[in-house]
Amino acid sequence: MKTKREDVRNIAIIAHVDHGKTTLVDQLLRQSGVFRANQEVVDRVMDSNDIERERGITILSKNTAVFYKGVKINIIDTPGHADFGGEVERVLKMVNGVVLVVDAYEGAMPQTKFVLRKALDLDLPVIVCLNKIDRPEARPDDVIDEILELFMDLDASDEQLDCPFLYASARAGFAKKNMDDPEVDMTPLFETILDYIPAPEGDPDAETQVLISTIDYNEYVGRIGVGKIDNGSLKVNQECVIVNHHEPDKFRRVKIGKLYEFDGLNKVEVAEAQIGSIVAISGISDIHIGDTLCSPEKPEAIPFQKISEPTISMDFMVNDSPLAGLEGKYVTSRHLRERLFRELNTDVSLRVEETDSPDCFKVSGRGELHLSVLIENMRREGFEFAVSKAEVLYHYDERNRKLEPMEIAYVDVPEEFTGAVIQKLTSRKGELQGMSPIGGGYTRLEFSIPSRGLIGYRGEFLTDTKGNGILNTSFDGYGPFKGELSYRKQGSLIAFEAGESITYGLFNAQERGTLFIGPGVKVYSGMIVGQSAKPEDIELNVCKTKKLTNTRSSSSDEALRLTPPKEMSLEQCLDFIDTDELLEVTPTSLRIRKKILDPTLRKRAMISRKEAVCSSADGLHIFRRVLFIFHIFINHHININKNRHNQCA
C-alpha cells in the first residue's frame, strides 16, 4: 500500500544561467543552520569544482539537504547553461517538485524554457521565485506575465498554471510572497516548499526499487551511485540485482557496501534508508546512470528519462608534433582512451566513438563549452593530446536530405551595436526572427541560426559589443542544410623552421599580422604563431637572427620594440582554429598547428582539395546541362504532338 512520507521533501533548483540558483542554495543552507555562526563560508559553496569557481557557472548537479520544522528538504542544485542540460534532465526523476528561479530583470530566457519544459513533461509542481528584485531595473510584473505566457506556450495544466510566485533576493537573503511584505529572511520560501511540494510517495512494504540518476566518484571507495528510493527500503549488505529499462538483458547480482544520506554538505553513513530518501550507494564497481537497484524477487526496472542527443563533435588524438611528450604526464592512446571512456560513467550527454585510427577518438557533446570543460579537466590532470575544430553532427531524412542542428539565439546588446551583430550573424546563415527594446538602452534580437554558424563566434561577439552583449542559445531541432560557410576571414602566420623565437624575427613578422608568441618560445615547422592580416596563410621565419657586421651605426644599435603578443585562452584557441588545423593541449601550453606540418605536402593537399571541389562543381555543371537539354527535348516533343493534334482537328 502506497503511503506518503511527510517528513521529507525533494526539490530541484532550476533556472537559466546566472539567474542565482547557487546563491539561493547558499542562503537556504545558511538560514537552516547548516553552518556555525562563526564559520567562514565562501560564496557559491555548492560550486566545489575549480573550473566552476573560476568561471562562475555550475557544471555538475549537486545534492544537499537542510532541515526546517522537522522536515528534511533534499535540494539538488542544477547547471543553468544549455551545454549541461543533460545534468538537469536526469536529476528531475529524483525530485517531487522544482523551484524555478527567474531574474526579475532578464525574465524568461532560453534555458528557462528548456528546464521548465522538462519539469512540466514529468508533471512536477513548480514554485516560481523571482530573484534579484532589489536590482534598480527590476520589472517583476512584466516578468510574471512572461512566465505565465511561457507556461501556456508549454501547454501547462490548470494546476501548474496556479503555481505560487515568490519575490526574493538571494544575495540579500530574503524572500516574500507579496512585493509589499517586509524583507526579513527565507522563511516564506521554506513554508511554500512544505505547503506546495508534495511528499514522496511509495510502498514501504514492496520490493526495493532505486533508480540511479547520478554517479559520483571517490578515489578511495570508487564509484558512488546516487538515487531516490521509490519503493521498499535499502539496507547495508542487502542483496540486490541491477536492471536497466533501456537494456532488457542486463541482470547482475550485487551487494550494498555502504549507504549514505545527505546532511548539509556532507554524506552521513546510515544502516537503512526508507522510501523518498535520496541516498548514495558505494561498493558497486560497475553501476551506471539509468540503472535500477531491485530486490532479486521482483527485478523491475524504472523508466529513465531519455537524454537529448549530442549536436557537436571533436576529434581527440594523440599529440604527434615535434614537441610531443615534453610537458604531459599521460601521452599515449591507451591513456587517452581510458580517460575518455571513464568520462562516460558520469556524463550522460557525452559520446565517445573509436575511429579507423587507433590514435584518434570522436567525442560528441552538447556544445563547445561542454567539450572545452572536458579538455580543461584533462589538461589539469596531466594529459597531453590534440583536438580538431568542432563540427556539427548531421542527420538525414527519409528522402536522404541533409539536416543540421539549429539554434535559437537570443542576443541582448546596446542599441549602437545591433547593426554589427545582425551583419555578423546574417553572414553566418542566421535569420532574424524578432527585434524588441528591453529597456536600459538594450535591444533583444532573436535569430534562427545553424549550430555551426555559432562555432567560433563568441569571441567576435564580445569584441563587436565591447564586452557589453549577452548571447544565449537554445537547441531548436534539426533543419535543412543552409549551405557552406567560412569560419575565418583571416589566414594564419606559420613558422617556417624549428627553433626558438628571436626578437629580430618576431619584429619582422609582426608587420604581417597579430602574433600569439613572444621571444624565447620553442616553435616548429607548421606551428601557427599568429593571425595574418590577409585571407591567405603566410609562412615566415620567427627564428631569424640579425647578421653581424664589423660596421657600427647609430641606427643598428637601436632596441627593437615588439607589440605584446595576444595571449589566447583555451576557448579562444578553439574558436580560432580552422578545419585544417589542430590545437595541441598540454598541462602548461596551448599550441595551434597545421594538421600537415610539411609545407610541400600541405600545398599538395590544398591543390588536391581545390581540384576535388572543381571536379565536383564541373560534374554538377554537366548534370545541370544534360538536365536542361533533356527538358528542352521533352518540351519540343510535347509541342510537336500538340501541333499534330491541332492539324487533325
Side-chain angles (χ1 to χ4, degrees), residues 59-353:
I59 296 171
L60 303 168
S61 58
K62 298 176 188 68
N63 295 68
T64 187
V66 301
F67 286 87
Y68 181 78
K69 291 185 175 179
V71 177
K72 184 178 185 179
I73 304 174
N74 288 306
I75 304 170
I76 303 176
D77 183 23
T78 64
H81 201 283
D83 285 18
F84 308 109
E87 292 281 324
V88 182
E89 292 179 76
R90 71 183 192 214
V91 301
L92 290 180
K93 287 288 282 187
M94 282 197 289
V95 299
N96 302 104
V98 297
V99 176
L100 178 67
V101 181
V102 184
D103 190 308
Y105 168 67
E106 290 187 354
M109 299 295 282
Q111 191 67 0
T112 311
K113 183 177 182 179
F114 173 81
V115 295
L116 182 59
R117 179 189 287 117
K118 297 297 180 184
L120 295 178
D121 289 346
L122 292 170
D123 203 26
L124 295 173
V126 181
I127 298 171
V128 180
C129 181
L130 293 189
N131 194 26
K132 306 183 185 181
I133 62 164
D134 51 349
R135 288 179 65 171
E137 62 271 31
R139 47 186 190 95
D141 294 335
D142 295 336
V143 172
I144 286 176
D145 292 339
E146 289 177 16
I147 294 167
L148 289 173
E149 285 180 16
L150 183 59
F151 268 90
M152 288 186 283
D153 290 343
L154 296 174
D155 296 326
S157 64
D158 292 341
E159 292 180 0
Q160 290 167 333
L161 280 168
D162 196 26
C163 62
F165 283 80
L166 295 175
Y167 306 88
S169 171
R171 187 173 290 277
F174 69 83
K176 50 188 182 179
K177 294 185 178 181
N178 300 296
M179 282 294 292
D180 301 330
D181 293 348
E183 300 170 357
V184 183
D185 54 21
M186 286 289 174
T187 299
L189 179 56
F190 280 120
E191 294 287 349
T192 308
I193 291 171
L194 295 191
D195 295 339
Y196 191 73
I197 303 298
E201 190 175 353
D203 189 350
D205 301 321
E207 301 297 338
T208 303
Q209 274 187 311
V210 183
L211 176 65
I212 303 300
S213 301
T214 305
I215 295 291
D216 198 359
Y217 184 81
N218 186 293
E219 59 182 5
Y220 300 108
V221 299
R223 296 168 67 81
I224 302 170
V226 180
K228 185 184 74 171
I229 302 176
D230 282 8
N231 287 303
S233 61
L234 202 61
K235 301 176 183 177
V236 175
N237 295 326
Q238 182 178 336
E239 298 283 345
C240 293
V241 294
I242 291 180
V243 293
N244 194 299
H245 180 73
H246 299 293
E247 300 176 38
D249 298 332
K250 191 168 187 176
F251 186 92
R252 192 164 60 86
R253 293 184 178 271
V254 295
K255 189 176 183 181
I256 307 298
K258 288 189 176 180
L259 196 60
Y260 305 89
E261 287 192 11
F262 295 90
D263 187 0
L265 300 176
N266 303 315
K267 294 188 188 78
V268 180
E269 195 169 338
V270 295
E272 185 178 2
Q274 305 297 325
I275 57 165
S277 294
I278 293 178
V279 294
I281 305 156
S282 68
I284 304 173
S285 59
D286 193 25
I287 192 167
H288 295 89
I289 293 167
D291 287 345
T292 306
L293 281 172
C294 306
S295 298
E297 291 78 18
K298 192 179 179 183
E300 188 177 334
I302 299 173
F304 184 59
Q305 180 76 13
K306 185 172 170 48
I307 305 298
S308 302
E309 291 294 315
T311 58
I312 206 163
S313 71
M314 285 182 187
D315 287 338
F316 283 53
M317 62 197 75
V318 173
N319 185 22
D320 61 353
S321 80
L323 300 179
L326 298 179
E327 299 172 357
K329 185 179 177 183
Y330 308 107
V331 298
T332 65
S333 60
R334 180 177 60 85
H335 289 134
L336 188 60
R337 186 183 187 281
E338 286 177 356
R339 178 61 181 86
L340 290 173
F341 279 94
R342 190 167 74 239
E343 188 70 19
L344 296 177
N345 296 331
T346 55
D347 193 341
V348 292
S349 302
L350 201 71
R351 300 286 183 275
V352 179
E353 303 169 52

Side-chain angles (χ1 to χ4, degrees), residues 40-59:
E40 186 177 347
V41 183
V42 296
D43 290 335
R44 305 194 325 275
V45 68
M46 294 295 288
D47 286 346
S48 52
N49 186 294
D50 289 341
I51 298 178
E52 290 179 324
R53 301 205 63 80
E54 289 167 14
R55 303 192 184 202
I57 59 173
T58 301
I59 296 171

Side-chain angles (χ1 to χ4, degrees), residues 389-427:
K389 177 82 174 173
E391 296 179 353
V392 299
L393 298 173
Y394 297 105
H395 286 183
Y396 292 87
D397 63 8
E398 62 278 358
R399 297 182 181 178
N400 205 32
R401 292 180 300 185
K402 196 175 186 179
L403 305 176
E404 64 176 329
M406 300 293 294
E407 306 265 350
I408 298 291
Y410 297 86
V411 188
D412 295 348
V413 290
E415 291 173 359
E416 62 265 30
F417 302 126
T418 54
V421 172
I422 291 172
Q423 189 267 326
K424 281 285 177 66
L425 287 179
T426 305
S427 68

